[in-house]
Amino acid sequence: MVKVATYNAAGTQTGETELPESIFGLRPHRPVLHQALVAELANRRAGTHATKTRGQVRGGGRKPWRQKGTGRARHGSRRSPIWSGGGITFGPQPRDHAQDLPRQSRAAALRLALSAQAAAGRVVVVAPPTGEVVKTKTMAALLHAVGAGDRAIVVASDAERAVTRAVSNLRGARSLSPRRLSVRGLLTPGTVVITQSALAELQEALGS
């Protein structure tokens, strides 16, 4: 089992929490992480890049000059790709960059990302402040107390909306849902701060 520090809402360490090795104790495997990260970044691309071909640019209805007798090269249209303002040959066109990744591969990549953070000593478990309103100042003090500083990756359950809202106001901190984790988000430099309720959802989502 992997043991990490546990803190209460005041930022005081109350003990240690044992995390399952099947999620937080795996050995590094870069190919799986790389494949998942590339797929996530590709799925974020809008794919709206576009250029005009010679059939789409304006002009070119008449021959620029006669075929012979001018001493210049023979041209039939100003829309030719070799002309300034002409069409683009083999230019980018709108397309979908999405990559399909098997569910098991994505789950394995998430486990590897969490294991990498745990191996580096950048995972803590907290009991966050409760209530319908959690002040940003309170969350900032808690994150500094647990050693997250200005770079924190807070994993909070969907029910802890007040915590998520407070974290969103902090510069350099970001919040993630246990059921909507991303490899890119977990590998962002910073300390992974997991709430106790999110830890249970995390173990259920990743099959531990």
Side-chain angles (χ1 to χ4, degrees):
M1 301 293 285
V2 179
K3 294 184 178 181
V4 298
T6 304
Y7 297 85
N8 58 18
T12 304
Q13 184 172 351
T14 58
E16 293 182 334
T17 298
E18 292 185 350
L19 303 178
E21 290 190 6
S22 59
I23 299 178
F24 294 90
L26 301 178
R27 299 180 62 182
H29 196 280
R30 291 190 175 184
V32 175
L33 278 174
H34 179 266
Q35 182 183 16
L37 182 58
V38 169
E40 286 185 4
L41 294 177
N43 294 339
R44 291 168 60 93
R45 296 184 64 177
T48 54
H49 40 46
T51 54
K52 291 183 178 182
T53 64
R54 65 180 299 163
Q56 296 171 325
V57 295
R58 186 177 181 182
R62 60 185 292 270
K63 191 174 175 65
W65 49 76
R66 65 179 187 267
Q67 182 79 353
K68 295 184 177 182
T70 64
R72 292 180 288 188
R74 296 168 289 186
H75 289 287
S77 173
R78 295 180 181 271
R79 294 185 293 185
S80 172
I82 65 176
W83 279 67
S84 176
I88 303 298
T89 304
F90 304 126
Q93 296 295 322
R95 70 183 184 92
D96 185 11
H97 292 274
Q99 297 183 12
D100 291 331
L101 190 68
R103 184 180 302 176
Q104 290 143 346
S105 298
R106 183 177 180 277
L110 293 175
R111 296 189 194 101
L112 289 170
L114 289 170
S115 297
Q117 293 284 42
R122 293 194 294 264
V123 175
V124 297
V125 177
V126 300
T130 57
E132 296 183 358
V133 178
V134 176
K135 292 187 176 296
T136 302
K137 183 177 181 180
T138 303
M139 279 303 302
L142 174 60
L143 294 179
H144 278 279
V146 303
D150 296 330
R151 290 181 176 268
I153 307 166
V154 181
V155 182
S157 65
D158 294 333
E160 297 172 315
R161 296 181 179 178
V163 173
T164 303
R165 190 180 302 111
V167 172
S168 65
N169 293 330
L170 295 174
R171 184 177 182 180
R174 58 184 308 176
S175 62
L176 299 174
S177 170
R179 300 187 182 278
R180 290 187 293 274
L181 291 177
S182 67
V183 175
R184 179 174 178 267
L186 290 175
L187 293 181
T188 302
T191 302
V192 180
V193 181
I194 308 175
T195 65
Q196 292 178 339
S197 59
L199 181 60
E201 294 183 13
L202 192 62
Q203 296 180 22
E204 181 181 355
L206 295 181
S208 174

